[in-house]
């Protein structure tokens, strides 16, 4: 198919020159023969080549950039980019799960690929990736030798691209109901078909390891509150030395948290699974005078857009205020926000506000982010969605 052409408005060229990969509709002066899902060459106002990307008129981000060089975006290009992304991962050999392609951050806008054992799970977030997913699957199969490739393109972002959901096997077999993966010596069951994201929160890997270290230094039987537990991640990583209270609103997630507890030989008596709204449960604990050595707070995204920031900030403040109240003096709070619209600075301010109201004192011991298989392109600050704080609370 013939390549289209796009001209950028002169006053909007700078981010593109600085290699930001998104070109919004308002930045485009004019387009010629651009077709949804197809390649376009991008020119500046003086008709000089700037970059090459793909087009979708239905999206606000009308062009996503693939290359700033005047090069062919052909099968060899895709293969090279996929191969480079995969080669960047250097995880322990015993590990069977990791993110292989982190979309814009691996210079492949709109494409996510996660590995779980003998399965790859692909998310095609844009029309151009959707149109090329069969070829991408062929290249992935060839590069990794992993025989089963499953698609989990059931994400809201696709609506903005004019796409419906797509779920199913691209290559090989359908995934089992759950698959046991191994990360840092810990085993987790992953539901690739119905689980969140592609099945597991791979981004929290390093923070789980950190929590394991903290728990190891706590006295035996230390109490750990795992709010928004999903399938148990943080408390499973902490192991059998502590008593974990997992809280999640989703019954199915708690079922897997319980199964993960058994899988890692954590005695059943050392874990509780509570289906509840985390906000309510926190209030209940404060009312009952409960105390924990470690509290982990890892809520879902509260702000999907800038206009939801205020409401999200109230949610984060409420959670952290009550969480502070529950931490034993000298204990730990590990708290997160995965809302892209909330900056690290703002998140810290919100947590500070919660601390003031709780009348406690706390130290930031670490700034937290996503694991190293979720790199963030420095040219793409939007990629740094996950931010967290490890706080010692007095
Ligand atoms: N910490 C987890 C990931 C958390 S994802 C891990 O390490 O894997 C966020 C979780 O919050 C989801 O499992 C979702 O079911 C749950 N959730 C969303 N809203 C909630 C609420 N109001 N109360 C309790 N849990 C909630």
């Amino acid at each position: 198919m013939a390549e289209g052409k796009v001209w950028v408005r002169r006053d909007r060229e700078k981010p593109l020159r600085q290699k930001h990969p998104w070109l919004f509709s308002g930045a485009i002066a004019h387009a010629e023969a651009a077709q949804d899902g197809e390649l376009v060459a991008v020119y500046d106002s003086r008709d000089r080549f700037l970059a090459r990307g793909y087009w979708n008129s239905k999206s606000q981000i009308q062009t996503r950039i693939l290359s700033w060089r005047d090069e062919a975006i052909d099968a060899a290009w895709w293969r090279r980019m996929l191969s480079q992304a995969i080669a960047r991962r250097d995880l322990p050999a015993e590990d069977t799960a990791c993110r292989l392609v982190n979309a814009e951050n691996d210079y492949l806008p709109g494409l996510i690929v996660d590995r779980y054992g003998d399965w790859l799970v692909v998310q095609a977030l844009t029309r151009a990736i959707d149109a090329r997913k069969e070829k991408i699957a062929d290249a992935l199969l060839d590069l990794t030798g992993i025989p089963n490739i499953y698609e989990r393109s059931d994400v809201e972002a696709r609506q903005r691209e004019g796409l419906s959901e797509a779920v199913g096997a691209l290559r090989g077999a359908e995934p089992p109901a759950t698959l046991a993966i191994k990360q840092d010596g810990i085993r987790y069951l992953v539901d690739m078909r119905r689980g969140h994201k592609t099945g597991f929160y791979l981004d929290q890997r390093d923070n789980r390891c950190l929590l394991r270290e903290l728990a190891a230094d706590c006295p035996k039987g230390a109490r750990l509150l795992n709010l928004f537990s999903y399938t148990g991640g943080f408390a499973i990583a902490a192991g059998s030395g502590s008593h974990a209270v997992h809280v999640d609103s989703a019954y199915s997630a708690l079922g897997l948290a319980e199964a993960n507890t058994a899988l890692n030989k954590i005695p059943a008596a050392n874990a509780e699974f509570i289906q509840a709204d985390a906000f309510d449960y926190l209030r209940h604990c404060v009312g009952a005078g409960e105390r924990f050595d470690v509290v982990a707070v890892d809520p879902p995204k509260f702000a999907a857009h800038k206009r939801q920031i205020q409401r999200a900030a109230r949610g984060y403040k409420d959670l952290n205020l009550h969480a502070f109240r529950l931490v034993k003096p000298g204990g730990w709070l590990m708290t997160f926000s995965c809302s892209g619209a909330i900056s690290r600075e703002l998140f810290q301010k919100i947590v500070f506000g919660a601390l003031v109201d709780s009348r406690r004192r706390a130290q930031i011991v670490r700034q937290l982010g996503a694991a190293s298989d979720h790199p963030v392109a420095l040219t793409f600050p939007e990629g740094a969605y996950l931010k967290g704080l490890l706080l010692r609370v007095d």
Side-chain angles (χ1 to χ4, degrees):
M1 199 163 299
E3 182 175 88
K5 289 184 172 182
V6 167
W7 284 267
V8 183
R9 280 176 39 176
R10 204 159 77 139
D11 56 339
R12 303 287 290 271
E13 283 170 9
K14 194 175 170 194
L16 199 63
R17 288 194 192 283
Q18 294 179 335
K19 296 200 170 67
H20 191 285
W22 289 353
L23 202 47
F24 288 93
S25 55
I28 293 172
H30 169 65
E32 216 175 82
Q35 301 193 42
D36 289 352
E38 296 303 329
L39 295 177
V40 286
V42 182
Y43 297 92
D44 71 7
S45 54
R46 293 167 64 188
D47 229 12
R48 288 176 302 198
F49 176 89
L50 280 175
R52 183 166 275 111
Y54 60 71
W55 172 263
N56 187 353
S57 62
K58 297 197 178 57
S59 171
Q60 271 207 44
I61 307 169
Q62 282 189 332
T63 301
R64 292 184 200 231
I65 304 301
L66 297 167
S67 173
W68 278 265
R69 272 190 230 134
D70 196 357
E71 61 179 344
I73 310 290
D74 52 12
W77 184 91
W78 286 95
R79 196 187 152 88
R80 191 166 72 245
M81 295 299 286
L82 289 168
S83 146
Q84 285 172 1
I86 293 165
R88 280 180 205 121
R89 273 70 194 171
D90 61 341
L91 293 171
E94 318 78 67
D95 279 25
T96 62
C98 98
R99 173 150 298 188
L100 292 180
V101 180
N102 198 27
E104 271 77 351
N105 302 293
D106 274 306
Y107 319 116
L108 284 166
L111 176 66
I112 286 174
V113 183
D114 288 340
R115 179 194 165 201
Y116 300 109
D118 287 339
W119 268 266
L120 297 179
V121 183
V122 168
Q123 276 184 337
L125 306 176
T126 60
R127 179 165 290 274
I129 296 295
D130 193 75
R132 287 162 182 77
K133 63 192 177 191
E134 293 295 332
K135 285 186 181 143
I136 290 170
D138 284 337
L140 287 170
L141 188 68
D142 200 43
L143 289 166
T144 65
I146 294 175
N148 309 297
I149 305 181
Y150 188 66
E151 181 177 16
R152 274 295 303 275
S153 299
D154 49 339
V155 288
E156 215 189 287
R158 279 176 63 108
Q159 285 173 17
R160 297 194 285 275
E161 292 275 316
L163 294 167
S164 53
E165 295 182 354
V167 172
L170 284 174
R171 296 288 176 277
E174 289 263 331
T178 57
L179 178 85
I181 57 151
K182 203 166 175 192
Q183 267 199 325
D184 304 296
I186 307 155
R187 297 173 75 205
Y188 301 100
L189 293 170
V190 176
D191 178 353
M192 285 174 262
R193 287 189 286 171
R194 278 174 295 269
H196 294 176
K197 297 208 195 196
T198 59
F200 193 62
Y201 289 87
L202 289 168
D203 53 355
Q204 287 290 21
R205 169 195 168 151
D206 292 357
N207 301 321
R208 291 190 190 110
C209 286
L210 181 59
L211 195 131
R212 176 164 61 180
E213 287 171 26
L214 295 180
D217 287 341
C218 284
K220 207 159 169 55
R223 302 191 71 217
L224 197 169
L225 178 59
N226 190 18
L227 284 174
F228 306 95
S229 67
Y230 188 50
T231 58
F234 284 104
I236 301 294
S240 53
S242 43
H243 180 92
V245 180
H246 299 260
V247 181
D248 203 283
S249 53
Y251 184 74
S252 56
L254 290 167
L256 279 184
E258 192 164 2
N260 282 330
T261 303
L263 188 66
N264 289 281
K265 303 197 164 51
I266 299 171
N270 289 9
E272 290 171 57
F273 305 91
I274 293 168
Q275 185 182 12
D277 175 84
F279 292 85
D280 294 344
Y281 190 75
L282 276 169
R283 283 185 169 71
H284 154 80
C285 288
V286 171
E290 297 224 30
R291 285 285 180 276
F292 294 88
D293 299 86
V294 183
V295 178
V297 184
D298 183 24
K301 184 158 64 181
F302 286 165
H305 314 280
K306 286 211 172 88
R307 52 183 188 278
Q308 294 171 339
I309 287 181
Q310 289 254 322
R311 204 189 50 158
R314 281 197 295 274
Y316 289 121
K317 182 170 177 193
D318 189 70
L319 283 177
N320 286 288
L321 166 61
H322 291 96
F324 275 128
R325 290 186 171 147
L326 290 179
V327 181
K328 281 184 194 166
W332 299 96
L333 173 61
M334 198 182 249
T335 183
F336 296 96
S337 161
C338 62
S339 302
I342 305 259
S343 68
R344 190 174 278 282
E345 292 68 31
L346 177 57
F347 182 60
Q348 189 171 315
K349 269 190 197 151
I350 297 167
V351 176
F352 163 71
L355 178 76
V356 171
D357 288 3
S358 74
R359 302 189 188 173
R360 303 289 298 269
R361 285 198 308 184
Q363 297 170 309
I364 299 174
V365 175
R366 291 250 192 118
Q367 295 275 355
L368 309 172
S372 62
D373 55 347
H374 292 59
V376 178
L378 190 51
T379 47
F380 183 63
E382 293 83 349
Y385 64 95
L386 183 66
K387 69 272 318 173
L389 293 167
L390 173 65
L391 300 162
R392 184 167 34 221
V393 185
D394 285 303

